């Protein structure tokens, strides 16, 4: 049996893959129920291919992005994403979680419990749970997210950027998704349906500032002031908006040891600047399921061999993108302005598509 700690995107994707292959597994989740949490999530080529393989994509509501806007101060560029091979779907995170959960029998999920102790002897994994019960498995998979301390204390890096996210009602449908850089502040707007959009707002915290320096009304006012640059803002109706708020952190990469394998954020939480955290978690699950089916005796080491280079590159790039986006030192501003004016953005999109599709070839192969 495969014991999976954490029913997040990584854990549930692995559960779906094991379910489809007829491998016994149990999902352990500390929350008392699997609630509809979170705001939006942007899924790109690699993540969508995995969901399609799991037969989950066809029942997932969301908005397929055709045109994407990228903006730096008052300059805006519109990219035809689909024409460049970029598949991008914006969904409500709760819908993704429900879709993944729909294939998992309730008897394979144990809620409201945590691992108190584990011991790995040869091929056997012994686990003691907080409710006093014990489990015997052949693999222990840690998918318990960025703060996991199952096998090591997390080493977290704080980017000093704070992110607020919400699902916001729309007055009129909007067609485009966009991310707009305004120096210290960054704004993202992506429709998830005709009536709602996922909105994120990132602020580079200055010395002495904290979350409370930016009350909701101050932030919403700032967003509305950008209407003259981003026309779609006039469709946002903030009346019922509930904002989630977090610092943007990443975690040193660690894949575990032997039959204890970390996947998703427990292995490599990254800043969300490239929108690849969840899809890399799904890729990990896909790779690990293959190793489990082959009875790999040291899957943590094999994951490190097969996945580390790819994951590390995104982890690092994502940090850089965050730094570049908010760096307003004069030399940086000039570089950004020149880059933005003259760099054909399509090249960046094509490189990203090529990188994402490398994984799809693996799925198909
Ligand atoms: C602001 C923001 C925006 C993002 N946007 C995107 C995006 O657009 N696209 C994208 O691909 N990624 C995005 N990400 C990244 C993405 O959210 C994560 O990479 C993804 O959720 C990781 O999934 P996970 O299953 O590894 O961890 P989680 O989703 O954190 O799930 C962990 C699960 O483990 C459970 N758990 C925790 N501790 C224990 C324990 N001790 N015992 C048992 N269970 C436990 C938790 O309750 C939870 O259910 C974003 C992240 C942030 C912060």
């Amino acid at each position: 049996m495969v014991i999976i700690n954490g029913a997040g995107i990584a854990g549930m994707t692995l559960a779906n893959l094991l379910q489809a292959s007829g491998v016994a597994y149990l999902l352990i989740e500390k929350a008392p129920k699997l609630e509809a949490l979170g705001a939006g999530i942007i899924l790109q080529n690699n993540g969508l291919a995995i969901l399609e393989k799991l037969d989950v994509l066809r029942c997932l509501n969301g908005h397929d992005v055709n045109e994407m806007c990228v903006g730096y101060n008052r300059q805006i560029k519109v990219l035809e994403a689909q024409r460049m091979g970029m598949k991008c779907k914006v969904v409500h995170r709760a819908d993704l979680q429900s879709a993944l959960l729909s294939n998992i029998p309730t008897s394979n999920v144990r809620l409201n419990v945590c691992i108190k102790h584990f011991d790995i002897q040869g091929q056997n994994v012994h686990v003691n749970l907080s409710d006093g019960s014990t489990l015997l498995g052949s693999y222990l998979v840690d998918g318990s997210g960025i703060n996991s301390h199952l096998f090591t204390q997390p080493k977290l890096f704080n980017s000093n950027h704070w992110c607020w996210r919400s699902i916001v009602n729309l007055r009129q449908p909007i067609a485009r998704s966009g991310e707009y850089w305004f120096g210290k502040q960054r704004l993202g707007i992506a429709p998830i349906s005709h009536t709602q959009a996922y909105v994120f707002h990132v602020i580079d915290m200055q010395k002495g500032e904290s979350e409370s320096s930016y009350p909701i009304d101050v932030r919403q006012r700032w967003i509305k002031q950008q209407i003259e640059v981003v026309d779609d803002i006039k469709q946002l109706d903030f009346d019922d908006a509930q904002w989630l708020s977090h610092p943007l952190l990443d975690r040193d990469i660690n894949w575990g040891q032997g039959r204890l394998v970390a996947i998703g954020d427990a292995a490599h939480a990254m800043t969300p600047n490239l929108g690849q955290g969840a899809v890399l978690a799904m890729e990990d699950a896909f790779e690990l399921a293959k190793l489990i089916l082959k009875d790999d005796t040291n899957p943590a080491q094999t994951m490190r061999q097969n996945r580390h280079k790819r994951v590390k590159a995104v982890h690092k790039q994502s940090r850089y993108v965050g730094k570049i986006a908010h760096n307003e030192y004069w030399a940086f501003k000039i570089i950004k302005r020149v880059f933005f004016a003259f760099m054909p953005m399509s090249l960046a999109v094509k490189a990203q598509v090529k990188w994402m599709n490398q994984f799809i070839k693996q799925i198909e192969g």
Side-chain angles (χ1 to χ4, degrees):
M1 178 173 74
V2 179
I3 302 167
I4 309 171
N5 188 43
I9 292 169
M12 285 206 275
T13 307
L14 180 63
N16 271 261
L17 290 157
L18 298 179
Q19 178 74 30
S21 309
V23 176
Y25 67 92
L26 183 70
L27 255 178
I28 295 166
E29 169 59 48
K30 76 167 181 189
K33 51 182 176 170
L34 292 172
E35 284 173 316
L37 289 172
I41 191 154
I42 299 166
L43 299 169
Q44 302 176 39
N45 299 37
N46 40 349
L48 293 172
I50 294 172
L51 293 174
E52 190 159 26
K53 188 103 186 157
L54 291 173
D55 201 22
V56 164
L57 191 58
R58 65 188 169 80
C59 53
L60 187 61
N61 294 325
H63 178 84
D64 294 312
V65 177
N66 189 12
E67 285 186 337
M68 278 185 326
C69 298
V70 279
Y72 177 54
N73 290 335
R74 303 190 78 83
Q75 294 170 273
I76 304 233
K77 284 190 175 174
V78 182
L79 305 170
E80 286 181 62
Q82 285 183 7
R83 205 175 52 81
M84 287 184 261
M86 168 79 89
K87 290 183 194 149
C88 191
K89 193 176 186 86
V90 191
V91 302
H92 198 305
R93 192 178 278 256
D95 288 341
L96 174 61
Q97 285 170 338
S98 314
L100 287 171
L101 193 60
S102 65
N103 289 332
I104 304 173
T106 45
S107 54
N108 286 54
V109 186
R110 191 85 69 83
L111 296 171
N112 210 10
V113 279
C114 288
I115 294 178
K116 278 279 164 213
H117 177 76
F118 68 88
D119 182 36
I120 301 179
Q121 303 273 347
Q123 297 190 354
N124 295 327
V125 178
H126 299 268
V127 169
N128 293 58
L129 296 179
S130 52
D131 62 0
S133 60
T134 56
L135 300 170
L136 175 62
S138 47
Y139 296 102
L140 175 55
V141 180
D142 185 17
S144 62
I146 187 167
N147 292 311
S148 165
H149 50 269
L150 188 65
F151 62 99
T152 180
Q153 285 305 315
K155 280 196 201 143
L156 301 179
F157 158 83
N158 190 339
S159 67
N160 245 354
H161 303 152
W162 203 279
C163 178
W164 289 263
R165 300 181 282 168
S166 183
I167 298 294
V168 176
N169 290 329
L170 291 172
R171 297 191 175 95
Q172 297 283 327
I174 58 175
R176 292 170 174 172
S177 291
E179 177 165 333
Y180 310 93
W181 295 3
F182 295 95
K184 191 181 155 190
Q185 313 211 27
R186 189 161 31 126
L187 182 67
I189 303 174
I192 59 167
S193 67
H194 288 318
T195 55
Q196 290 187 311
Y198 166 42
V199 177
F200 60 88
H201 183 192
V202 180
I203 301 184
D204 181 22
M205 293 285 167
Q206 307 298 299
K207 220 175 173 176
E209 288 184 343
S210 66
E211 179 192 13
S212 58
S213 314
Y214 295 94
I216 294 181
D217 55 328
V218 170
R219 287 191 315 95
Q220 290 183 174
R221 201 174 322 125
W222 177 85
I223 295 175
K224 285 177 192 160
Q225 281 163 1
Q226 313 315 314
I227 283 179
E228 45 181 297
V229 181
V230 183
D231 193 48
D232 283 339
I233 292 174
K234 66 173 178 264
Q235 306 307 347
L236 302 177
D237 174 359
F238 288 120
D239 281 355
D240 298 320
Q242 302 284 327
W243 293 91
L244 296 171
S245 155
H246 348 232
L248 295 186
L249 311 169
D250 69 32
R251 175 180 171 127
D252 273 11
I253 306 176
N254 192 328
W255 298 96
Q257 216 176 2
R259 287 174 176 268
L260 164 61
V261 199
I263 57 173
D265 279 10
H268 49 65
M270 55 189 68
T271 51
N273 303 314
L274 295 175
Q276 279 283 321
V279 289
L280 283 176
M282 291 183 202
E283 285 192 5
D284 291 345
F286 194 87
E287 184 72 29
L288 181 58
K290 280 200 302 193
L291 301 182
I292 290 171
L293 284 172
K294 284 188 201 154
D295 281 330
D296 193 299
T297 53
N298 193 344
Q301 188 182 315
T302 317
M303 286 292 278
R304 195 173 300 115
Q305 274 163 11
N306 296 354
R307 301 273 308 141
H308 191 78
K309 200 171 157 203
R310 181 171 172 87
V311 167
K312 173 108 201 222
V314 187
H315 196 269
K316 207 161 131 190
Q317 257 179 43
S318 191
R319 254 197 212 184
Y320 286 150
V321 169
K323 279 188 184 160
I324 293 166
H326 297 286
N327 193 323
E328 285 295 274
Y329 180 63
W330 66 269
F332 252 93
K333 269 170 91 171
I334 294 173
I335 294 169
K336 279 197 280 188
R337 215 174 294 146
V338 172
F339 183 85
F340 200 83
F342 299 109
M343 159 92 179
M345 291 289 168
S346 56
L347 289 184
V349 175
K350 280 181 187 157
Q352 166 96 345
V353 168
K354 187 171 167 206
W355 176 86
M356 291 189 292
N357 288 353
Q358 277 164 5
F359 188 80
I360 299 179
K361 281 193 198 129
Q362 251 175 276
I363 296 182
E364 287 160 357

